[in-house]
Amino acid sequence: MKRLVVLISGRGSNLRALVQACAAECWPAAVVAVIADRPQAEGLAFAREQGIAAEVVDARACASRAAFDAALADAVDAHAPDLVLLAGFMRILADDFVRRYEGRMLNVHPSLLPAFPGLHPHRRALEAGCKIAGATVHFVTPTLDHGPIVIQAAVPVRADDTEATLAARVLEREHVIYPRAVRWAVEGRLRWRDGVVDHVDGAEQGLL
Ligand code: GRF
């Protein structure tokens, strides 16, 4: 049974998608803890309802960035995770922490990386006049939103889209690709070579 720890900052809809897929598809895995960087993170309530350990490492209560990084690393390590899953976690992780979990830490980002890493990807996609947008699940490396890509899904950008309507369309696809990627990782179906991640059985890694 693989131990999954999910880090969140807010709503937690990707957390929910992961927990539901894990149960519905009987993954040989369990979400053993959800850790948020803010006590107000709405996803904590869902975790508690599910009987999952829900903890807060409050970034605002930490005296420094280094203190937060250390407290977060201790909280994660305490659950001995096989995989660490960033699901709307809005903080940049310390390099040491990323290296400790390299190859075992995934993130979902609401753009077709390497386009629009960082904040406000939907707004930036609209401003750039993109006709296609999407979401990416990638392994986490020290450079923000730049790790090797596991799976991507594309969505159309409509002429009347706002940031909110585009974000909603992309989010639906996040809820498909993140569980799929995590399942592959749990089952050991991903191979990372020369900065590129392949599925060992050739499963579709680009959804149109
Ligand atoms: C998602 O769009 C995720 O890709 C981004 O922040 C959002 C979090 O949503 N990083 P939720 O908390 O999973 O509902």
Side-chain angles (χ1 to χ4, degrees), residues 71-179:
L72 181 69
D74 284 350
V76 172
D77 288 349
H79 294 283
D82 295 291
L83 290 174
V84 177
L85 308 172
L86 310 185
F89 187 68
M90 300 305 284
R91 281 189 190 269
I92 295 173
L93 296 164
D95 281 10
D96 283 355
F97 181 81
V98 171
R99 292 219 171 80
R100 179 151 73 249
Y101 284 102
E102 201 154 357
R104 295 187 293 141
M105 181 152 58
L106 292 164
N107 181 43
V108 63
H109 182 75
S111 78
L112 292 174
L113 292 173
F116 311 124
L119 294 175
H120 310 304
H122 310 103
R123 184 190 310 170
R124 287 153 63 208
L126 290 171
E127 284 169 359
C130 292
K131 308 307 176 205
I132 299 281
T136 303
V137 178
H138 64 95
F139 280 109
V140 177
T141 57
T143 308
L144 179 71
D145 297 332
H146 270 85
I149 292 167
V150 175
I151 186 169
Q152 295 185 299
V155 301
V157 179
R158 305 218 166 100
D160 60 352
D161 264 332
T162 62
E163 209 177 329
T165 59
L166 180 57
R169 193 174 311 119
V170 171
L171 189 66
E172 273 184 36
R173 304 303 280 159
E174 293 181 48
H175 296 163
V176 172
I177 63 173
Y178 207 9

